[in-house]
Amino acid sequence: MPSNFIVDVRLKDNDTLVGQVLQLPVVRDVGLGKLHQKTAQALQSAAAPQLPDATGSSLLTFLTQAGKFFGKDSTKWEAVGQGKVDVVEDESTGKRTIKTTTICWGNKLSLLVSTPFHDPRLPVNPNDPDLDFSQAQIELNTEVDWQKFTADQPWSPTLRRRKVGFLLRAKLLAGVTQLQLEGAHGVWELSVNKVHHADMVEELLEALVAQLANPDLQVVQAAAAAVWGCATSSRTRHLLTEIGAVEALLTMLQTSLAMDTASGTAADASDQPAAAQTSHRDLLQVRDSLRFVASRYVGHALLPGAARCPVV
């Protein structure tokens, strides 16, 4: 059965209607569409515009009906000034032709859709549209665009989580430390609830495991916590093992152990400035956290039991 949904509509760059949003129903179910139309006719006055009924509608139908609510009826044309009248007489036949030329104006409407997860910090990705969040709006120009856009509306919780997964993967692959940290932390947030694990695709987990080799320890810490959180389900635990999460964690653990040698050669903390002491304590805290996650996960990843998810 086709799903029905609500569209938030506003005019772009219109000073008189700034901030005003209309919620218009898109009804694609035939039975519900007929009921909606009867209700709309009973509620509205004869002079009011027809409520949008998108039962079997096209892009043109939706634009026309939505435009009427903003006083932008694209089906009406109005004359500007007086028309020009030309009279031509054919002397041989005596036939007179009257030609009237009038300039008219009207409204041409286009539909711009705001992308829900737009992030201007993310680069353009023409090779993979699922990972391209650089555009704040996309224009639906054709009926094919309209039908493709509305086919999966409204989003189910599963589809929404997969869309979020695309966003997190784009951040993990962005090559910017702050974005990678946000991506790893976002995967950890998803991993806290085991119900979400079914919506995590292998490509997302691959991008996550790659961050275990990130030079920034905060990114590594968040990625390690997310990997451990995903280990609480057999499916994601198996995928992570196939991807090479255990090997990556062991490498990370060896790196964290090497921090002991580096910290042992450092001067006494009491002789260091306050900022340096704070930085050193943060480093030790991150090191201990990484060591804890790595050692626990390696054991849990190889066992059928579930691990408790760490807090980032």
Side-chain angles (χ1 to χ4, degrees), residues 165-286:
F166 288 140
L167 174 63
L168 298 177
R169 182 183 167 205
K171 288 186 175 184
L172 291 171
L173 298 176
V176 179
T177 300
Q178 180 58 36
L179 292 176
Q180 291 171 334
L181 179 60
E182 293 176 10
H185 198 283
V187 178
W188 170 78
E189 290 180 350
L190 285 178
S191 72
V192 171
N193 190 338
K194 292 178 63 175
V195 177
H196 301 164
H197 294 183
D199 303 320
M200 293 184 178
V201 297
E202 183 175 356
E203 292 78 8
L204 174 61
L205 297 178
E206 287 178 348
L208 175 67
V209 171
Q211 298 309 313
L212 293 175
N214 195 295
D216 189 280
L217 292 180
Q218 286 188 322
V219 177
V220 177
Q221 182 185 26
V227 168
W228 188 21
C230 292
T232 60
S233 295
S234 59
R235 173 184 170 274
T236 47
R237 184 168 61 247
H238 175 74
L239 287 175
L240 287 169
T241 303
E242 293 294 323
I243 293 170
V246 173
E247 293 81 359
L249 283 169
L250 288 174
T251 301
M252 183 198 71
L253 181 58
Q254 292 175 351
T255 302
S256 69
L257 291 174
M259 295 179 185
D260 285 334
T261 303
S263 62
T265 60
D268 185 8
S270 60
D271 299 331
Q272 299 179 12
Q277 294 181 34
T278 302
S279 177
H280 184 68
R281 286 197 299 269
D282 292 342
L283 178 64
L284 293 178
Q285 182 178 2
V286 172

Side-chain angles (χ1 to χ4, degrees), residues 114-120 122 133-135 155 160 163-164 167:
S114 298
T115 54
F117 302 124
H118 166 64
D119 192 330
L122 291 172
F133 298 93
S134 61
Q135 294 182 329
W155 286 356
R160 179 170 292 276
K163 296 284 188 181
V164 170
L167 174 63

Side-chain angles (χ1 to χ4, degrees), residues 22-41:
L22 289 178
Q23 291 189 322
L24 306 180
V26 175
V27 184
R28 296 186 294 179
D29 179 72
V30 177
L32 185 59
K34 293 179 179 179
L35 178 62
H36 165 78
Q37 196 62 30
K38 292 180 180 178
T39 304
Q41 293 173 355

